[in-house]
DNA sequence: GCCAACGTTGGC
DNA sequence: GCCAACGTTGGC
């Protein structure tokens, strides 16, 4: 079963929000590489919930995929900040997945902490200049992160 | 708020 | 197909 990491700005949607709601839709991904990873997700996959663009960037918990990729409705909604004028119902390039809450870490595993782990050095997350918001995580990386909890 | 790094767009 | 300009991401 594959593992993933997905970034979200906690001001928009945080691990606490997911915990409260129990479930949510992961939408608004507007990058082709990230979208392709979304399409490779299957129900039951686990992912690290990463908080970006905030006071303490880092991994804040774990979620799971509860519905595999489907057309992202926000691309078709003119009122949405994620609206894409080029998307149509028959030709919508963007996908969303549904997610469920699994676990919230007692404390966020900070980016400097993650960068200090040799086992995580190959992750796009810790690489300079990388902006990829959805990425695969290897079994080794997954376990290395879990050991930091 | 700054700015480095990146992806996308569009003229040629 | 090249590449400059632009907009965005995201840490600091």
């Amino acid at each position: 079963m594959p593992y993933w990491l997905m970034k979200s700005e906690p001001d928009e949607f945080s691990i606490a929000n997911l915990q409260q709601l129990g479930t949510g839709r992961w939408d608004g991904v507007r990058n082709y590489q990230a979208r392709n990873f979304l399409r490779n997700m299957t129900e039951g996959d686990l992912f690290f919930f990463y908080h970006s663009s905030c006071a303490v960037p880092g991994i804040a918990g774990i979620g799971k995929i509860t519905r595999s990729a489907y057309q992202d409705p926000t691309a078709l909604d003119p009122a949405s900040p994620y609206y894409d004028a080029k998307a149509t119902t028959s030709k919508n390039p963007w996908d969303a997945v549904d997610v469920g809450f699994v676990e919230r870490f007692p404390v966020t595993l900070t980016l400097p902490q993650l960068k200090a782990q040799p086992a995580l050095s190959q992750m796009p997350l810790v690489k300079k200049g990388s902006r990829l918001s959805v990425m695969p995580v290897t079994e080794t990386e997954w376990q290395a992160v879990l050991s930091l909890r």
Side-chain angles (χ1 to χ4, degrees):
Chain A
M1 183 118 56
Y3 297 111
W4 308 96
L5 180 144
M6 300 204 283
K7 296 181 185 176
S8 177
E9 299 188 14
D11 291 346
E12 286 274 327
F13 188 64
S14 69
I15 188 74
N17 295 142
L18 182 56
Q19 183 172 25
Q20 271 193 324
L21 299 168
T23 183
R25 185 177 66 208
W26 205 281
D27 56 26
V29 172
R30 294 293 178 268
N31 167 282
Y32 287 105
Q33 201 183 349
R35 182 211 61 186
N36 291 341
F37 286 130
L38 279 187
R39 289 183 174 175
N40 287 333
M41 294 177 177
T42 54
E43 197 179 316
D45 287 357
L46 297 175
F47 66 95
F48 287 129
F49 197 127
Y50 182 89
H51 285 172
S52 66
S53 295
C54 58
V56 186
I59 297 176
I62 297 173
K64 65 167 178 280
I65 306 303
T66 56
R67 182 184 170 187
S68 59
Y70 58 98
Q71 277 206 30
D72 181 352
T74 65
L76 305 172
D77 176 8
S80 168
Y82 304 119
Y83 178 63
D84 180 356
K86 283 174 287 187
T88 63
T89 316
S90 55
K91 259 205 160 155
N92 181 353
W94 306 118
D95 282 35
V97 295
D98 285 349
V99 299
F101 176 77
V102 174
E103 175 180 340
R104 183 179 178 181
F105 295 160
V107 294
T108 296
L109 307 178
T110 69
L111 188 58
Q113 217 178 334
L114 300 171
K115 282 182 172 169
Q117 304 301 314
L120 304 180
S121 63
Q122 295 308 305
M123 293 186 72
L125 179 72
V126 302
K127 294 198 173 169
K128 186 182 171 190
S130 173
R131 308 189 320 197
L132 191 59
S133 62
V134 179
M135 69 190 76
V137 174
T138 67
E139 173 77 31
T140 306
E141 290 162 348
W142 184 266
Q143 297 302 334
V145 171
L146 289 188
S147 71
L148 299 173
R149 282 178 300 178

